[in-house]
Amino acid sequence: MSTTTAQGAPIAAAPAPAPKVEGPWRRFISEFAESKLALLGFIVFTIIALIAIFAPWIAPQNPYDLAQLDIMDGRMEPGTVGGAGFTYWLGTDDQGRDMLSGIMYGLRISLLVGVGSAVIACAVGASLGMLAAYAGGKTDTVIMRLVDLQLSFPSILAALMILAFLGKGVMNVVLALVIVEWAYYARTVRGTALVERRREYIEAAQCLALPTRRVIFRHLLPNCMPPLIVVATMQIARAIALEATLSFLGLGVPITEPSLGLLISNGYEYMLSGKYWISFYPGIALLVTIVSINLMGDQLRDVLNPRLKK
């Protein structure tokens, strides 16, 4: 369509602007931010992670440095000023440790165990799952029977048995969680890889006689990442909860390396006497951490799997 000037000369209409194309990362961020709860979970988890990372610099006290503890300040109520003029905003435990500082340090161990075990279990399970799907035959049968065997045991029971044999320790807890978690990743990746290996790009790579390792890790793995990311997010929250349970039962981390579960366990016997804060505040910190991760995981599932969108 065109218009004319006062002299009658035609003027061509301005071309329509080209549609703006968003990159995959920008599109992912915009879709993730559509959920206010997921965005809130991301903000809360980021704050928690920063607190855990910088705990030695921002915590009012090192709760496991004996030189900074005063046994006379044991079991003080929240907001009480100690003998040295130090204010315990969340109270103290039976050893005179500042609960606020204890939670900050406890978050470090809980996140280290949760994220560390999830990363290692993801690497192991994803590798075995892709190998099972790509190789097929006896290899697939053996790996999936191991997966079925692993998933037939309750996770908490299997972890308790492993730690009863290995003993306490952060690395032992991580190893126990890896052993009870890898099967979830293997089954998820195998299901996705079975679909992807029938696609044309895999057949083309095989026709070019590319090495099996390259086909798996350069072509197959990237297309299995969306469901893997969702499972990993959920498993981090699950690993943190499992570690807290193990520490509460006395088979997790030692008392020299506190976690939120151990802090909850330390105050459990004082709940009936009214000293609620020793277990209550670490429990709230654990609950907020797990809920924030789950909120992110729910939205990641919807974003990375369009079929689940309403």
Side-chain angles (χ1 to χ4, degrees):
M1 182 178 180
S2 61
T3 58
T4 57
T5 61
Q7 291 77 18
I11 300 177
K20 187 177 180 180
V21 179
E22 289 187 343
W25 279 108
R26 180 171 294 182
R27 183 169 61 252
F28 169 80
I29 293 174
S30 63
E31 291 179 358
F32 181 83
E34 289 178 359
S35 172
K36 303 304 180 184
L37 288 177
L39 194 58
L40 176 62
F42 174 77
I43 294 173
V44 171
F45 181 75
T46 301
I47 294 173
I48 290 173
L50 291 175
I51 290 174
I53 293 171
F54 295 103
W57 295 275
I58 64 177
Q61 175 195 79
N62 183 346
Y64 293 87
D65 181 1
L66 296 179
Q68 299 185 31
L69 303 183
D70 186 354
I71 193 65
M72 301 302 295
D73 289 346
R75 298 192 294 275
M76 283 192 168
E77 296 183 359
T80 304
V81 179
F86 184 83
T87 302
Y88 300 107
W89 297 108
L90 298 183
T92 63
D93 64 4
D94 57 336
Q95 300 297 319
R97 298 185 181 96
D98 176 40
M99 292 307 303
L100 177 60
S101 302
I103 290 172
M104 291 182 177
Y105 275 78
L107 284 170
R108 291 168 62 86
I109 301 298
S110 294
L111 291 181
L112 173 64
V113 170
V115 175
S117 64
V119 170
I120 298 174
C122 180
V124 174
S127 299
L128 292 175
M130 285 187 295
L131 178 62
Y134 190 81
K138 293 182 179 179
T139 302
D140 183 24
T141 301
V142 171
I143 293 176
M144 295 316 297
R145 293 299 76 77
L146 289 175
V147 170
D148 293 338
L149 179 64
Q150 173 63 53
L151 295 179
S152 65
F153 286 93
S155 298
I156 184 63
L157 178 60
L160 284 171
M161 294 172 59
I162 295 170
L163 287 175
F165 176 76
L166 297 177
K168 295 181 180 180
V170 174
M171 296 309 300
N172 289 342
V173 174
V174 171
L175 178 59
L177 294 180
V178 169
I179 293 174
V180 302
E181 287 182 343
W182 72 270
Y184 295 95
Y185 298 98
R187 174 166 286 183
T188 300
V189 171
R190 176 183 177 271
T192 306
L194 284 175
V195 176
E196 293 295 328
R197 71 187 295 268
R198 298 186 180 93
R199 299 192 184 276
E200 292 79 4
Y201 70 92
I202 295 295
E203 294 179 358
Q206 292 173 334
C207 291
L208 292 174
L210 296 179
T212 301
R213 183 175 62 180
R214 182 175 179 181
V215 174
I216 291 177
F217 291 100
R218 291 287 301 274
H219 300 281
L220 192 58
L221 177 60
N223 291 282
C224 295
M225 288 303 293
L228 194 60
I229 292 173
V230 175
V231 173
T233 305
M234 297 299 186
Q235 288 300 111
I236 289 175
R238 186 169 180 269
I240 292 174
L242 275 175
E243 182 279 323
T245 303
L246 294 170
S247 296
F248 182 85
L249 296 175
L251 288 175
V253 298
I255 58 174
T256 56
E257 298 175 276
S259 69
L260 296 178
L262 186 60
L263 293 175
I264 297 172
S265 177
N266 290 339
Y268 180 72
E269 59 181 300
Y270 300 105
M271 291 288 290
L272 295 179
S273 62
K275 312 297 183 183
Y276 68 91
W277 58 87
I278 303 178
S279 291
F280 177 75
Y281 292 118
I284 292 297
L286 177 65
L287 176 64
V288 171
T289 302
I290 293 175
V291 169
S292 65
I293 296 174
N294 283 332
L295 289 176
M296 292 189 295
D298 287 340
Q299 183 65 5
L300 282 174
R301 180 191 59 188
D302 294 341
V303 172
L304 297 177
N305 189 351
R307 289 176 297 179
L308 296 178
K309 293 182 179 180
K310 296 180 180 180

